[in-house]
Amino acid sequence: MTTALRKLPSPLGVHLLKGPARASGYEVARIVWHIDPSGIPDEERGLPLVALEALLRSPIAGPRRSTLVDRAAALGVRIEPGRTHLSCYCDVRGPRDSVRAIVPVLTASVAAAEVTDDATRAARATVAAGIAERERNLADHAQRALCSAFVGPDGWLGKHSAGTVESVASIDRARAESGARGLAAASAISLLFSDDAAADLWCDGLAELVSSARPDPSAAESANIVRGQADPRTETSLRGPRGTYLLCGCLTEVNDVADQVALEIAAHALGGWTMARWQRLFREELRYTYGTATSCRIIRVGTREYGLTTLGMSLIDGDRAAVTELFDQQARRFTVDGLTPDECVGSARQLLAAEPLGTVSARIFVARAAQPIQNGFDWTIAAQRLSALAAADPDDVNSRLRRLMETTVIISVVGER
């Protein structure tokens, strides 16, 4: 993936990142508005996403007064907005010529920052439905509970990135337009796309969305988001689907890319593939779960960098208390013994071998390339990661893991109807 990335020059200061050209005539682009989450009250957390959804549903100038979504659909283009803790974004994908036809319409709509009452109501309903669905998801609930254990109950990383159903329901048209104006005047925008033939078109369109004031990202708040001593064991209940979800993980400050890669190797070795350590134990041997799920996410806030590493599983059989105790024992054993040399080297090789899968489609390519950029990193982080994976040494990896995973938290979420 990394060899295909190319930073394009931009007089606007917009972050342009090109992927491999596609012979199929299919194009994907992602516009990213970067957001500093520190200091945002809960009632404002969902405002950028509601505003973007409302813009897509509001009539645009023209004889038919059709919405942007309808006009895009008529051209075979899909426009899908989204929200992370550090960004609001919009994916545009479809036939190349159709995507390029919709670019000026999309950017002009955002620049105008005008929404209707009907569009605001529809946007609120869409965003609230997404929040409610995640609130009923045991794995997502466990992930946020784990983050809260490290950042405290008021930390933004432990909350839903789009706010709450109640806060979204309170957004009226005036506030939605205010949020749209915030997007139109954003001080930091990134653009990632799968073919640079239309680079000039994108630049011309985005010129309307780039503020003349562009603060230095390194000047952002750099206070440590990890606060106090995390509770090593937490059990919580959730009304919704019945079941139990166990999650083990840590949120820790990292010093460099090699630290980040060590966490990624650990997650993969423990539960990231069919023969991983905990996959074999809990699924193949004990049959407590259908499988384990891992994630390793890196985020940059100001000048500080963090790694959020988790391994979870849905419990399908066995005594919950006994399985949780075994899960805890395995986690404590890992923090002491670390990985075997074969686990370390094998995981690094598998992660490197999986890189070509990131270019099998324009959509996957752009989504993967966007992830570190939306989490606050420079685009060169992808190449640095591959170099660190290729150079991974078992002794060095384990030394880093002992420091990084000194505090590991176990979350047990029980679903009750």
Side-chain angles (χ1 to χ4, degrees), residues 139-227:
D140 186 76
H141 192 76
Q143 182 99 355
R144 284 183 281 119
L146 184 138
C147 289
S148 294
F150 286 96
V151 303
D154 296 325
W156 51 265
L157 195 57
K159 299 177 182 178
H160 195 291
S161 58
T164 64
V165 171
E166 293 76 17
S167 67
V168 166
S170 68
I171 298 176
D172 57 14
R173 175 184 175 180
R175 288 180 62 203
E177 285 195 336
S178 172
R181 288 192 295 272
L183 294 176
S187 60
I189 299 177
S190 294
L191 171 65
L192 300 96
F193 53 112
S194 58
D195 188 354
D196 69 346
D200 291 341
L201 176 63
W202 280 107
C203 282
D204 291 343
L206 287 171
E208 299 182 72
L209 305 182
V210 181
S211 169
S212 58
R214 298 188 56 78
D216 181 358
S218 65
E221 176 62 46
S222 297
N224 194 348
I225 64 174
V226 179
R227 306 193 184 279

Side-chain angles (χ1 to χ4, degrees), residues 105-170:
V105 183
L106 169 62
T107 53
S109 177
V110 176
E114 296 177 355
V115 302
T116 64
D117 288 327
D118 288 345
T120 302
R121 283 192 289 270
R124 285 199 308 258
T126 298
V127 175
I131 296 171
E133 182 178 358
R134 290 187 64 178
E135 288 289 349
R136 294 189 295 269
N137 184 286
L138 298 181
D140 186 76
H141 192 76
Q143 182 99 355
R144 284 183 281 119
L146 184 138
C147 289
S148 294
F150 286 96
V151 303
D154 296 325
W156 51 265
L157 195 57
K159 299 177 182 178
H160 195 291
S161 58
T164 64
V165 171
E166 293 76 17
S167 67
V168 166
S170 68

Side-chain angles (χ1 to χ4, degrees), residues 53-409:
E53 290 273 10
L55 285 171
L56 299 180
R57 289 169 167 77
S58 295
I60 54 180
R64 294 185 178 180
R65 295 287 291 169
S66 59
T67 68
L68 180 57
V69 169
D70 290 340
R71 187 175 296 191
L75 294 172
V77 175
R78 295 196 62 170
I79 303 179
E80 295 182 353
R83 178 81 161 92
T84 71
H85 285 100
L86 297 171
S87 72
C88 186
Y89 65 91
C90 186
D91 279 348
V92 184
R93 62 181 188 270
R96 186 171 297 153
D97 291 342
S98 297
V99 167
R100 294 171 188 176
I102 210 69
V103 169
V105 183
L106 169 62
T107 53
S109 177
V110 176
E114 296 177 355
V115 302
T116 64
D117 288 327
D118 288 345
T120 302
R121 283 192 289 270
R124 285 199 308 258
T126 298
V127 175
I131 296 171
E133 182 178 358
R134 290 187 64 178
E135 288 289 349
R136 294 189 295 269
N137 184 286
L138 298 181
D140 186 76
H141 192 76
Q143 182 99 355
R144 284 183 281 119
L146 184 138
C147 289
S148 294
F150 286 96
V151 303
D154 296 325
W156 51 265
L157 195 57
K159 299 177 182 178
H160 195 291
S161 58
T164 64
V165 171
E166 293 76 17
S167 67
V168 166
S170 68
I171 298 176
D172 57 14
R173 175 184 175 180
R175 288 180 62 203
E177 285 195 336
S178 172
R181 288 192 295 272
L183 294 176
S187 60
I189 299 177
S190 294
L191 171 65
L192 300 96
F193 53 112
S194 58
D195 188 354
D196 69 346
D200 291 341
L201 176 63
W202 280 107
C203 282
D204 291 343
L206 287 171
E208 299 182 72
L209 305 182
V210 181
S211 169
S212 58
R214 298 188 56 78
D216 181 358
S218 65
E221 176 62 46
S222 297
N224 194 348
I225 64 174
V226 179
R227 306 193 184 279
Q229 183 65 38
D231 187 346
R233 193 85 164 262
T234 300
E235 182 170 320
T236 182
S237 61
L238 178 67
R239 295 193 63 83
R242 294 182 62 85
T244 299
Y245 194 88
L246 298 178
L247 186 73
C248 168
C250 68
L251 174 63
T252 182
E253 188 169 2
V254 298
N255 296 327
D256 52 29
V257 176
D259 275 357
Q260 300 167 8
V261 163
L263 291 170
E264 188 177 1
I265 288 174
H268 188 77
L270 291 178
W273 66 297
T274 54
M275 294 302 291
R277 184 191 299 185
W278 290 357
Q279 174 84 355
R280 293 200 317 270
L281 175 63
F282 289 102
R283 183 185 189 277
E284 305 299 335
E285 297 178 18
L286 301 177
R287 302 187 184 279
Y288 287 150
T289 181
Y290 289 119
T292 54
T294 64
S295 71
C296 188
R297 180 177 159 205
I298 56 172
I299 60 174
R300 190 171 193 268
V301 184
T303 58
R304 292 178 180 266
E305 299 175 4
Y306 302 89
L308 173 60
T309 309
T310 63
L311 187 148
M313 65 181 189
S314 294
L315 184 61
I316 60 172
D317 197 10
D319 179 76
R320 175 164 49 88
V323 179
T324 303
E325 183 60 34
L326 178 60
F327 198 63
D328 186 36
Q329 290 174 3
Q330 288 292 313
R332 284 189 274 111
R333 174 187 168 189
F334 167 72
T335 58
V336 174
D337 297 337
L339 301 174
T340 68
D342 286 345
E343 286 176 326
C344 179
V345 174
S347 293
R349 288 176 178 172
Q350 287 180 344
L351 291 168
L352 283 169
E355 280 303 300
L357 297 176
T359 62
V360 296
S361 75
R363 181 181 180 183
I364 293 175
F365 177 87
V366 169
R368 287 196 65 195
Q371 185 179 31
I373 292 170
Q374 288 181 236
N375 285 333
F377 287 86
D378 184 83
W379 70 287
T380 59
I381 190 69
Q384 297 173 33
R385 170 183 170 270
L386 292 184
S387 296
L389 276 171
D393 172 77
D395 289 338
D396 180 64
V397 168
N398 279 322
S399 175
R400 292 173 183 273
L401 291 176
R402 280 191 290 272
R403 168 173 52 85
L404 295 168
M405 304 189 75
E406 181 180 8
T407 301
T408 301
V409 169

